[in-house]
Amino acid sequence: MKILLNGVDGNFGSKAASILLKRWPLKDLVFAAPTKDGLAKYADVDVEKRIADFNDEEGLVKAFSGIDTMILISMPFVGPKRRAAQKKALDAAVKAGVNRVVYTSIVGAGEPDIDTYEVNDHVWFEAYVKQQPIHYLFLRDSQYAEAMVSNYINAYENTDNILANNMGNGKMAYISRDDCALACACAAMSDWEDRIIDVNGAELLTIEEYIQIANEVTGHNVKYVEINDDQQYAFFDSIGVPRTTEDMWAQTATNFPFCSDGMVTFGRAIRQNQMATFTNDFEILTGQKPMTVREIFEHMEEHLIGSRTSTDD
C-alpha cells in the first residue's frame, strides 16, 4: 500500500513523517508539500517526493496518481479558502484513483448543534467526502494540549498569573499534538476504512483542573478567571489577533497561530460541553495510551504550540 503524506513541511506533517519513516517501507511512502523548498529537508531521505500545490488542480491529480492512501492534514486558514483548497485536493484524489483519504478533523464535528468558526469547516468537509467515491478515515482530534501550555506560560510571564478565557466549566480531553500525529500515521498504516476515530487525551478536564495540574508540576500559582464571549473578543482585539483568517493570515499566523472568531466560538463550544468526547479510540488504534496533561507539563519545553504556516495566496 502506497501512502502519500501531504504537508510534510508543517509542524504536524513533519511529526507524522518521522513516524512513517520508522514504521513503513520507504518504497511505499510519498512525501508531498506545496513547494520544492518544503521538501528540502527530506532531500537525503530515500522516499519519493512530489509537489502538491493546492492551487494547481491538474498538478494535484498528477501528484496523487498511483496512491492508495492519502493523508490530508486540515489547512491552517479557516472559512471559504480552506473549504475550496481541501475540495480541490479531494477532487484531485478521486480523479487520480486514490482509494482512501485520512483526514485530520476535530472534536465536536459530530455534534448536531455545534456552530463554531473552526469546526464548521470540518463538518462541511466530512459531509463532502462522504458524497465522493472514496473511502475515508476521519480523525476527530481533541484540542492540542500544547495550545494551553503556551497560554499557561503566558499567564505567569505576562498576565500576573491569571489565565482568563470563556471555556467556563466545560470539559475537554486535551491531547498532545505528538499523539495526534502518531494516530494519523497509524490510521494511514491500518486497514480501517469508512469510520470515525476520536483522538482524545488521557483524561477529561475543565480548564481549571488543567491549570491545577500545571501548577502542581511547575510550582507556579496561575488562577483561572472565566470571562464572557465579548470580553474574550476584546482581549484578542487588544493584542492584535485578527478576527478571521481572511486578512493578512500568512503574515499574522507567525505571531498569532489562530484567529479570534475561531478561539471565541471554540471556547463557547467547550463551555457548552459540545467538545467533551472521551473514548479509548486512540489506544485501540495505536496500541498505547495517550500522554497525560501531567506528563506533558513535566516536559513542557517539548510541548509548545509553535507557529502555523500558510501557503495560501
Side-chain angles (χ1 to χ4, degrees), residues 78 116-119 233 236 242-245 258-268:
V78 185
T116 88
Y117 184 68
E118 182 86 15
V119 180
Y233 270 121
F236 285 135
R243 285 287 180 112
T244 73
T245 62
F258 52 84
C259 66
S260 59
D261 274 356
M263 294 303 294
V264 173
T265 58
F266 199 87
R268 182 188 67 203

Side-chain angles (χ1 to χ4, degrees), residues 39-90:
L39 297 168
K41 68 178 178 178
Y42 300 103
D44 297 328
V45 179
D46 190 21
V47 298
E48 185 178 354
K49 275 82 71 175
R50 299 182 185 178
I51 302 297
D53 180 353
F54 286 18
N55 295 309
D56 178 4
E57 295 180 52
E58 290 186 9
L60 284 178
V61 176
K62 182 178 179 181
F64 299 155
S65 64
I67 299 302
D68 182 80
T69 292
M70 180 183 82
I71 299 173
L72 180 60
I73 300 167
S74 58
M75 300 290 101
F77 39 91
V78 185
K81 289 182 180 179
R82 173 195 261 176
R83 297 187 189 192
Q86 293 184 174
K87 181 180 182 297
K88 286 179 187 176
L90 187 75

